[in-house]
């Protein structure tokens, strides 16, 4: 009965590789988000999709490309990984059409780039 | 622009004593404010939220927060700390546009001594 799930939980990879992180929510929400938490625990929004449409795109390198195949999924693809990409990536979702502001977070994906 | 400032990076209390985690916000509008908790190597869980209803908000696990407009504060309190409360706590403000973007404070690590 997981609400917001992410795969994989842990990802260790070499610099220059391309990797994807997947997120799925079974809450019937219409908006999904990606946040990045750095080594100092600071959390920052990266992207947001509402009904498969991109509505937030913060100043994130072009190497990061979100894809939303449907309302329940928001994947994050990262090209040419760099050391600075090492972080915890959190997916979240909310039901904005109902004016509900609460965002529900996934367990996070811990990415380590070597 | 909306922002939040968490005044303490670390707070240490003894088990059974009160907890106070401080948060000040900056917003041109009446803000929506949240407290999230992150236990070690876990995702983010909503503790409570303020969305312009009652100024004293009760959350899960005995936590509560009071919205004080005159002081632009939204401090988190608990009458009696439990060992399981040891975690990172984030004060969060919602960006006041249609994006529903959350702006996170820098976090306060709560340590609970036996």
């Amino acid at each position: 009965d997981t609400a917001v799930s992410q795969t994989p939980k842990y990802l260790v990879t070499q610099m220059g590789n391309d990797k994807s992180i997947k997120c799925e929510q079974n809450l019937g929400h219409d908006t999904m988000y990606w946040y990045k938490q750095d080594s100092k625990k600071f959390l920052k929004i990266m992207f947001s999709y509402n009904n498969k449409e991109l509505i937030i795109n913060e100043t994130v390198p072009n190497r990061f490309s979100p894809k939303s195949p449907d309302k329940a999924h928001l994947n994050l693809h990262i090209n040419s990984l760099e050391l600075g990409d090492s972080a915890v990536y959190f997916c979240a979702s909310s039901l904005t059409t109902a004016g509900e502001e609460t965002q529900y977070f996934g367990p996070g994906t811990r990415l380590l780039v070597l | 622009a909306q922002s939040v400032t968490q005044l303490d990076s670390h707070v240490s209390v003894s088990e059974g004593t009160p907890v106070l985690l401080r948060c000040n916000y900056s917003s041109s509008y009446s803000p929506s404010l949240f407290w999230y908790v992150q236990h070690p190597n876990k995702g983010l869980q909503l503790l409570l939220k303020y969305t312009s209803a009652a100024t004293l908000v009760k959350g899960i696990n005995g936590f509560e927060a009071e919205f004080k407009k005159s002081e632009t504060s939204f401090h988190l309190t608990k009458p009696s700390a439990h060992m399981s409360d040891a975690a990172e706590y984030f004060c969060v403000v919602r960006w006041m546009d249609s994006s529903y973007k959350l702006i996170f404070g820098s976090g306060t690590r709560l340590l609970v001594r036996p």
Side-chain angles (χ1 to χ4, degrees), chain A residues 2-43:
Chain A
T2 304
V4 183
S5 59
Q6 295 179 227
T7 52
K9 269 192 158 180
Y10 299 94
L11 185 52
V12 182
T13 188
Q14 300 285 334
M15 252 188 346
N17 284 349
D18 303 336
K19 290 293 177 186
S20 291
I21 307 172
K22 296 187 176 182
C23 178
E24 177 180 2
Q25 54 91 6
N26 62 5
L27 297 167
H29 288 170
D30 55 9
T31 305
M32 297 183 73
Y33 312 80
W34 277 111
Y35 289 84
K36 179 180 179 181
Q37 185 176 42
D38 63 22
S39 58
K40 295 184 179 174
K41 301 284 188 182
F42 184 65
L43 271 148

Side-chain angles (χ1 to χ4, degrees), chain B residues 42-53:
Chain B
K42 298 284 186 187
L44 291 144
Q45 182 183 20
L46 179 70
L47 272 179
L48 49 81
K49 65 179 179 181
Y50 167 78
T51 53
S52 75

Side-chain angles (χ1 to χ4, degrees), chain A residues 11 15 22 39 55 83-84 89 92 97 112:
Chain A
L11 185 52
M15 252 188 346
K22 296 187 176 182
S39 58
I55 56 171
L83 294 176
Y89 293 84
T97 50
L112 178 60

Side-chain angles (χ1 to χ4, degrees), chain A residues 9-10 35 48 59 63 66-67 75 78 85 90 93-94 96 98 113-114:
Chain A
K9 269 192 158 180
Y10 299 94
Y35 289 84
S48 172
T59 50
R63 300 182 294 104
K67 283 189 172 51
N75 304 323
I78 316 171
D85 297 332
F90 286 100
S93 72
S94 66
T96 57
V113 182
L114 302 173

